[in-house]
Amino acid sequence: MILIVDLNWKKDSLGFCEFVLPIVSIAKELDEVVVKHYAELTREDTSKCNIIIFSGTALKDHVTLNQTEKFEWIKTCEKPILGICAGMQTIGLVFGLNLKKCLGIGMTQITTLKANPLFSSTFKAYSLHNFSVVPSDDFEVLAESTHCVQAIKHRKRDVYGVLFHPEVRNKEILQRFIHSFGQDRRV
């Protein structure tokens, strides 16, 4: 089962249709999907799933970036996690990374720096963000654009973040994440 965590400022906001439903559309073709708003997420929700995907949010929606205490569970979660845009930023903050101003709207050229199971080479992706993360020793940079870090992975765990929105243009990245890590890994 895939748990998709809605990071939008409130449950059933307009951002749900824009940032969560496209992920659901891709994921439900591959496995059972459950969607939970971050404010309603429980330990039981995370224990029932095989993988977790954090959605992105609207450009001016920074709510989760100011509520990282609600995501401390990520540090001990043994499930593979993929954070998209605000999801990557939230993951970064939980693990002590700093954010850096980096406005990106529209198509962006992404260059892969390190081999990984999600993407390779150079490709175009859709961006909609205000911030990127500043890398640390705990995370390796998987990809970048000319202006900022575009993808990261925790060095010891299957915790990934992408700044761009694969649900818009590169759905194969979400499919690869689900195929690579979606097998039954319940602890």
Side-chain angles (χ1 to χ4, degrees):
M1 180 173 60
I2 302 165
L3 173 61
I4 300 173
V5 181
D6 175 1
L7 294 188
N8 288 283
W9 71 285
K10 74 174 187 172
K11 184 177 179 177
D12 299 324
S13 71
L14 184 57
F16 179 83
C17 296
E18 186 175 356
F19 298 100
V20 179
L21 287 183
I23 300 169
V24 171
S25 170
I26 294 163
K28 74 180 182 181
E29 294 178 7
L30 302 171
D31 200 351
E32 180 184 352
V33 172
V34 172
V35 178
K36 284 288 196 159
H37 188 264
Y38 79 92
E40 298 176 343
L41 198 61
T42 67
R43 184 170 294 283
E44 184 179 344
D45 295 323
T46 61
S47 70
K48 289 181 178 178
C49 68
N50 299 328
I51 61 173
I52 301 168
I53 300 173
F54 290 139
S55 76
T57 64
L59 200 56
K60 293 188 177 189
D61 183 351
H62 306 293
V63 172
T64 62
L65 304 183
N66 298 315
Q67 296 182 22
T68 56
E69 70 282 354
K70 292 187 184 222
F71 300 93
E72 286 293 315
W73 60 268
I74 296 171
K75 291 179 180 177
T76 58
C77 180
E78 295 182 14
K79 308 296 173 88
I81 300 173
L82 173 63
I84 298 171
C85 195
M88 175 174 134
Q89 296 162 0
T90 301
I91 288 168
L93 288 173
V94 167
F95 281 98
L97 276 65
N98 292 314
L99 297 184
K100 165 185 145 176
K101 277 273 201 207
C102 182
L103 180 63
I105 301 174
M107 297 309 295
T108 303
Q109 183 143 324
I110 310 293
T111 303
T112 301
L113 302 176
K114 186 160 179 74
N116 68 83
L118 305 182
F119 51 80
S120 62
S121 68
T122 300
F123 59 96
K124 289 195 180 272
Y126 181 73
S127 293
L128 184 66
H129 57 267
N130 282 310
F131 304 102
S132 184
V133 297
V134 177
S136 74
D137 291 342
D138 292 334
F139 283 84
E140 49 195 356
V141 176
L142 301 180
E144 64 184 8
S145 63
T146 55
H147 300 296
C148 52
V149 171
Q150 290 285 335
I152 58 174
K153 181 199 178 292
H154 193 278
R155 290 190 188 275
K156 296 179 180 172
R157 302 183 37 227
D158 291 322
V159 176
Y160 290 81
V162 294
L163 193 57
F164 55 91
H165 289 267
E167 74 279 14
V168 174
R169 172 145 178 160
N170 308 95
K171 72 179 188 177
E172 67 279 359
I173 292 173
L174 284 169
Q175 293 166 333
R176 287 181 193 133
F177 179 75
I178 294 165
H179 283 302
S180 295
F181 301 106
Q183 61 273 50
D184 193 352
R185 293 175 158 222
R186 281 179 229 144
V187 178

